Structure formats: C-alpha cells, structure tokens
Amino acid sequence: KRHDSRSICRAVWLWRQMWVLRCGRRAAVEAVGSSGEPPAKRPRTGDGPGGGAASSTKPVSELLPQELHDAQLELQLLDEKCADEQISLQQIFDKKRKAHFDTRRKHLRKIPGFWRAALCGHPARLAHPCEEEALRHIVDLTLDENKDRRGSYDITVEFGENGLFEERTIVKRVSFLDAFVERVEKAELTAISPEGAQVLEAVRASERPSVLAWLLSAQSGAPPGSPEDFGDVLRRDLWQDPIPYYLAYAEGGAAAEGSP
C-alpha cells in the first residue's frame, strides 16, 4: 500500500508543534540557569499545624520523569523526519511512473466503456445505478497527485461525444493547505437534455454513493451513505490498477447473459 501523503502532512504538522514545545521548554530551562535562581516553590495545601496530610499540586505532565518525555519526543522527531524524506522519494518515483501511466492511458482509451466498467466493477460500489449510462461516455480518467508536499491532487474526467452534458472535460481539485484544512474546487457539469438533467438531479438527491455526485461536490472524502473515503479509493486503488475491476464487471456481465 502506498504511503498516504495526507497522513504524512498531519505527521509533519505534529512534529512542528512538538518542536515548538521542546524549544519553549529549553528556553525556560536556560532562563532559570541565567538568573542563577531556582523557580519559586509552589505551596502545598494542608501544610502546617492542623493542615492535615499534604496533597501534591504537580501537573499531570510532571508525574513522569522528564527524560521519558524527551526520549519519546526524539522518537517522534525521527518518525517525522522519515515521513518527510518519504514524501521526497514518492515525488521522485511519481515522475518515473508518469511515462508508464501515459502509455496505459493510450491503450485504455481504445477500450469502449472501460472506465464505466472499472467504476461499476469496484467492490465499494462507487457508481449509482442511474448514472451508469452517463459513465459509459467517459473516455479518460486521469489523476495528478502529490502536486505539493502536502499531497494535493487533481482528478480529470474526459467525456466523449454525448447528448447529456455540455462539458467534455471536468476537473476536481483538492488542495491541502495544512494538516487539517483543505480547499476543494468542485467540477461543473451542465445538462443539455432532459436525460442529462435527470441524471444530475438523481445523483445529487440520492444518499447512495455516486461518481458524478462526488466530482460535483465540495467535499474530498466519503459521500453521504458511503463508508469509504471516495478520494482515497480513486487514488490508492482504482487509479493504481483499474484492470481487475474492469474484468470483474465484464465477467459479471458475461455470466448474467449466459444464465437462463
């Protein structure tokens, strides 16, 4: 399984926060050392005559030795450094893979209805039944991923000549601004016939997963009614190797035609 760039991004953000915390802790220690005076002791409740037993006022974070915190921090820093280097390595190999993706793309364009079959044949049930005929007009689907070190990506869908939609090419862009903030530029589709309008209305109103509804939505993750992260399924599974899902759909259709 390929490394999730968005997870790496979150890890790097955590590393930066931990580094700020560590630098602040060191600054406090240096400040005490430069003044030559230890920090003032905190009073304990219950001290003195009639005060009863003393109760600790230490913060929870001080219940464990500082050396343990430092050791754990060093482990996290090494993990995030490893993740950062993995991003660089991933981008290097993405460039090497591009020529092979382009070759595959040329061959897939020659297979009528390939992407419809691959999308409908995926076990996550990505496609809505009412859009299957519209998906038949997809002649190309392209992923441009890891556009930056945060894992931003574009998905481009090209339609052949059809009587449903005006646009021949639509693009959905997902940009990760930081570990927890994303910006989504949804695709746009304009119906040019009652059939096209019916498809768009049905997928937008339905709670079932839908390829077109996801492309037209301002979300990057799972659509309503789907447990799967739609963007991740496309990026980590379907785009990497769509052939098994095409064959599964084709074999299922052949079996249905041969059944009495």
Side-chain angles (χ1 to χ4, degrees), residues 233-245:
V233 172
L234 286 174
R235 297 163 62 205
R236 306 302 170 197
D237 193 5
L238 190 64
W239 169 251
Q240 303 304 324
D241 188 2
I243 296 174
Y245 308 116

Side-chain angles (χ1 to χ4, degrees), residues 49-122:
S55 61
S56 174
T57 59
K58 284 186 176 182
V60 175
S61 60
E62 295 181 9
L63 296 179
L64 298 175
Q66 183 59 46
E67 291 78 4
L68 177 59
H69 290 293
D70 290 341
Q72 187 61 46
L73 177 59
E74 293 298 336
L75 289 171
Q76 291 176 334
L77 292 175
L78 286 174
D79 284 344
E80 308 325 325
K81 182 179 180 181
C82 175
D84 194 46
E85 292 184 3
Q86 283 180 326
I87 295 176
S88 299
L89 186 62
Q90 181 68 59
Q91 290 178 326
I92 291 174
F93 277 88
D94 282 346
K95 292 180 180 179
K96 294 181 178 181
R97 284 153 36 101
K98 186 179 185 305
H100 301 290
F101 277 127
D102 289 342
T103 299
R104 187 187 75 176
R105 179 185 179 188
K106 293 177 183 178
H107 289 290
L108 295 185
R109 290 181 68 97
K110 300 176 183 178
I111 304 175
F114 177 87
W115 284 108
R116 173 207 180 190
L119 289 163
C120 295
H122 195 282

Side-chain angles (χ1 to χ4, degrees), residues 39-231:
K41 294 183 178 179
R42 296 178 179 176
R44 294 182 298 173
T45 59
D47 285 348
S55 61
S56 174
T57 59
K58 284 186 176 182
V60 175
S61 60
E62 295 181 9
L63 296 179
L64 298 175
Q66 183 59 46
E67 291 78 4
L68 177 59
H69 290 293
D70 290 341
Q72 187 61 46
L73 177 59
E74 293 298 336
L75 289 171
Q76 291 176 334
L77 292 175
L78 286 174
D79 284 344
E80 308 325 325
K81 182 179 180 181
C82 175
D84 194 46
E85 292 184 3
Q86 283 180 326
I87 295 176
S88 299
L89 186 62
Q90 181 68 59
Q91 290 178 326
I92 291 174
F93 277 88
D94 282 346
K95 292 180 180 179
K96 294 181 178 181
R97 284 153 36 101
K98 186 179 185 305
H100 301 290
F101 277 127
D102 289 342
T103 299
R104 187 187 75 176
R105 179 185 179 188
K106 293 177 183 178
H107 289 290
L108 295 185
R109 290 181 68 97
K110 300 176 183 178
I111 304 175
F114 177 87
W115 284 108
R116 173 207 180 190
L119 289 163
C120 295
H122 195 282
R125 300 182 180 275
L126 304 176
H128 193 290
C130 72
E131 69 182 351
E132 288 192 22
E133 183 63 22
L135 298 180
R136 182 173 63 86
H137 297 292
I138 295 179
V139 296
D140 195 16
L141 187 153
T142 306
L143 169 68
D144 184 9
E145 64 176 337
N146 295 323
K147 299 184 66 179
D148 52 38
R149 299 185 66 81
R150 296 178 295 275
S152 302
Y153 65 93
D154 296 349
I155 290 181
T156 303
V157 176
E158 181 183 343
F159 294 94
E161 184 176 353
N162 67 89
L164 300 175
F165 310 123
E166 177 181 341
E167 294 81 2
R168 288 295 186 89
T169 301
I170 60 175
V171 182
K172 180 165 184 173
R173 294 186 171 89
V174 180
S175 303
F176 300 112
L177 306 182
D178 60 33
F180 304 103
V181 179
E182 66 183 29
R183 181 178 66 240
V184 177
E185 298 177 41
K186 63 182 181 178
E188 297 290 343
L189 271 180
T190 307
I192 58 174
S193 67
E195 292 80 8
Q198 185 178 2
V199 170
L200 294 181
E201 182 180 355
V203 298
R204 284 169 171 158
S206 176
E207 294 184 355
R208 296 186 57 172
S210 162
V211 176
L212 295 180
W214 182 82
L215 290 168
L216 301 176
S217 74
Q219 296 180 347
S220 67
S226 173
E228 301 280 356
D229 186 323
F230 206 90

